């Protein structure tokens, strides 16, 4: 059932065989990323299919009348699909045979579930010692929460994301994307590729234990370091930056812009551009630390200047002066941006679908794009 030839011999992961026993987002996102890099990914679905096939509206209707949610198409392109009922011995034998010849297995069942079907790492690695087996769960394979289900919204709340996101006087807010799922998928991809590199040295694979909670906690980055340093919980600051000023959203006559003068030199350029050179000698604004201490005053001064400008004129002047700035785009504006178009961030697929390109670009290799998400069981043999 595995492909006899690489999908593209000049793709980074040409010939890699990936068995995806995953559904919803984190696992499929890792599988799609590996597929984009050239791997042959076989997605194993229950007879009911991945639940995200029904996560609409909006829905996509294919030329043959098949209908699935747009959500499903966002994280499953380039794969093949078979259906397996794990309660059926013949179906289990097919999945085990695929695993015996796979390089990678991705699964996101609760800990211990696949052992009941002989599809856990211990069982599969006995027949295939080189297998890299990536388990993605909410909380990992051990610890007091190992048996709890993992949902992105819950993980964003528990990891501190929501405590850091939102207006100071407003309620905690989740991110507009399923960021815990997506980053877990990306971290899983990194871990899989690292284990494959190690296998090239040692000849053996290994079990990778990925948890949404771990991945989200690890993304606290500099906010965690601020907490370690002070012992204080960082506050929600809306669009302000805890460590940099003046840095935020500012008004113009026809819409807000983001200004990000992240060092003293850039700040001085901004003052000059805004014709406030009279402030260049002010000690209370001379350094970032001083501007943090006088944030409300300097933000008010800058806002009083920017509101006299047309948005595009200000952005053009910032670009010429080398001051980081940008518009706050709707998605329709994102995909009309000349830079997005120039970089080829979208591509056409069958059934009039549009794909969103993985951001990786190589000097001497190609991504494998263009194949849409599979219909349920389309590659059954």
């Amino acid at each position: 059932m595995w492909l006899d030839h690489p999908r593209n011999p000049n793709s980074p992961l040409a010939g890699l065989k990936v068995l995806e026993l995953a559904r919803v987002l984190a696992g499929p996102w890792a599988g799609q990323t590996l597929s984009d890099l050239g791997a042959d990914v076989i997605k194993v679905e229950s007879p009911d299919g991945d639940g995200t096939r029904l996560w609409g509206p909006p829905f996509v209707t294919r030329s043959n009348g098949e209908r699935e949610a747009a959500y499903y198409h966002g994280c499953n392109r380039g794969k093949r699909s078979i259906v397996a009922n794990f309660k059926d011995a013949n179906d289990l034998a097919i999945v085990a045979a695929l695993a015996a010849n796979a390089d990678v297995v991705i699964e996101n069942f609760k800990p211990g579930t696949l052992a009941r079907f002989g599809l856990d790492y211990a069982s599969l690695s006995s027949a295939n010692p080189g297998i890299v087996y990536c388990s993605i769960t909410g909380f990992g394979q051990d610890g007091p929460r190992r048996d709890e289900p993992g949902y992105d919204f819950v993980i964003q709340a528990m990891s501190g994301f929501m405590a850091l996101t939102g207006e100071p006087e407003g309620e905690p807010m989740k991110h507009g994307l399923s960021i815990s799922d997506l980053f877990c998928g990306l971290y899983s991809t990194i871990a899989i590729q690292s284990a494959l590199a190690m296998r090239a040295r040692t000849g053996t694979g290994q079990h990778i234990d990925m948890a949404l909670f771990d991945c989200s906690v690890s993304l606290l980055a500099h906010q965690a370091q601020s907490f370690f340093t002070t012992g204080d919980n960082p506050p929600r600051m809306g669009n302000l930056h805890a460590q940099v000023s003046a840095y935020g959203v500012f008004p113009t006559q026809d819409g807000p812009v983001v200004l990000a003068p992240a060092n003293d030199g850039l700040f001085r350029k901004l003052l000059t551009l805004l014709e406030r050179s009279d402030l260049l000698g002010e000690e209370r604004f001379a350094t970032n630390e001083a501007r943090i201490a006088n944030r409300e005053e300097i933000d008010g001064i800058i806002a009083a200047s920017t509101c006299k400008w047309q948005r595009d004129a200000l952005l053009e002047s910032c670009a010429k002066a080398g001051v980081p700035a940008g518009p706050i785009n709707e998605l329709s504006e994102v995909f009309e941006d000349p830079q997005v178009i120039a970089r080829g961030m979208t591509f056409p697929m069958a059934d009039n679908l549009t794909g969103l390109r993985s951001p990786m670009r190589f000097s001497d290799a190609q991504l494998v794009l263009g194949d849409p998400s599979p219909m349920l069981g389309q590659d059954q043999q």
Side-chain angles (χ1 to χ4, degrees):
M1 194 174 294
W2 293 110
L3 293 175
D4 294 329
H5 304 288
R7 298 164 64 214
N8 181 339
N10 199 42
S11 59
L13 298 182
L16 190 76
K17 300 171 183 175
V18 178
L19 188 64
E20 182 185 299
L21 310 179
R23 62 271 192 224
V24 189
L25 186 52
W29 192 252
Q32 177 173 278
T33 304
L34 296 173
S35 174
D36 286 349
L37 289 165
D40 179 20
V41 180
I42 296 179
K43 182 180 181 72
V44 179
E45 302 184 67
S46 74
D48 293 329
D50 188 320
T52 60
R53 290 179 181 271
L54 303 176
W55 281 19
F59 289 94
V60 172
T61 301
R62 302 187 196 241
S63 55
N64 68 350
E66 288 274 345
R67 184 173 180 265
E68 301 117 341
Y71 191 113
Y72 165 76
H73 287 281
C75 50
N76 286 290
R77 66 164 176 258
K79 304 173 186 177
R80 297 187 290 141
S81 169
I82 66 169
V83 171
N85 183 346
F86 286 0
K87 296 179 181 179
D88 183 292
N90 290 330
D91 285 3
L92 276 179
I94 291 171
V95 176
L98 287 169
N101 291 286
D103 297 293
V104 176
V105 169
I106 302 171
E107 63 93 5
N108 63 353
F109 287 78
K110 289 183 181 179
T113 299
L114 290 183
R116 302 202 305 266
F117 304 104
L119 298 177
D120 57 314
Y121 174 68
S123 300
L124 297 183
S125 63
S126 63
N128 182 359
I131 200 165
V132 171
Y133 187 104
C134 181
S135 295
I136 299 174
T137 59
F139 296 95
Q141 300 296 308
D142 53 24
R145 295 187 183 275
R146 72 182 291 270
D147 295 320
E148 295 182 20
Y151 286 86
D152 180 273
F153 195 3
V154 175
I155 299 297
Q156 287 198 44
M158 293 181 63
S159 65
F161 284 2
M162 291 180 65
L164 296 168
T165 306
E167 294 296 331
E169 303 304 321
E171 66 178 7
M173 296 293 293
K174 71 177 182 68
H175 195 280
L177 298 170
S178 298
I179 192 169
S180 294
D181 275 325
L182 292 170
F183 268 103
C184 187
L186 292 177
Y187 271 126
S188 297
T189 304
I190 295 168
I192 288 167
Q193 292 176 308
S194 299
L196 289 169
M198 188 170 179
R199 186 183 72 175
R201 299 196 313 270
T202 66
T204 58
Q206 60 186 296
H207 185 206
I208 300 169
D209 175 7
M210 299 298 302
L212 269 69
F213 193 40
D214 294 355
C215 292
S216 294
V217 171
S218 74
L219 288 173
L220 293 175
H222 62 278
Q223 293 283 31
Q225 205 60 48
S226 294
F227 170 74
F228 297 154
T229 301
T230 66
D232 296 329
N233 287 313
R236 291 192 301 282
M237 299 189 68
N239 288 315
L240 299 179
H241 194 296
Q243 284 82 32
V244 183
S245 179
Y247 193 104
V249 176
F250 294 91
T252 71
Q253 292 181 3
D254 54 345
V257 298
V258 166
L259 300 178
N263 59 48
D264 296 341
L266 292 173
F267 177 72
R268 289 192 291 269
K269 287 183 178 182
L270 178 62
L271 288 183
T272 301
L273 183 156
L274 296 176
E275 299 181 344
R276 292 307 310 263
S277 298
D278 57 299
L279 299 175
L280 290 173
E282 291 281 355
E283 289 189 8
R284 68 189 192 279
F285 307 137
T287 66
N288 182 67
E289 186 175 0
R291 292 191 294 277
I292 290 287
N294 296 282
R295 185 198 298 272
E296 186 173 349
E297 183 179 5
I298 189 57
D299 283 358
I301 290 171
I302 291 175
S305 297
T306 61
C307 69
K308 301 173 184 177
W309 289 70
Q310 293 288 319
R311 187 192 76 161
D312 290 349
L314 177 58
L315 292 174
E316 183 177 348
S317 295
C318 285
K320 290 179 179 178
V323 175
I328 300 173
N329 287 332
E330 299 284 353
L331 293 197
S332 57
E333 296 171 301
V334 171
F335 294 112
E336 293 172 353
D337 189 293
Q339 186 67 18
V340 172
I341 294 170
R343 297 287 289 179
M345 286 303 298
T346 65
F347 61 92
M349 296 188 293
D351 290 322
N352 295 316
L353 288 164
T354 297
L356 183 61
R357 181 177 65 80
S358 288
M360 298 162 285
R361 294 179 68 161
F362 301 89
S363 65
D364 192 29
Q366 294 90 40
L367 297 176
V368 183
L369 304 172
D371 294 330
S373 303
M375 292 177 285
L376 180 62
Q378 74 171 31
D379 300 285
Q380 208 81 21
Q381 293 183 358

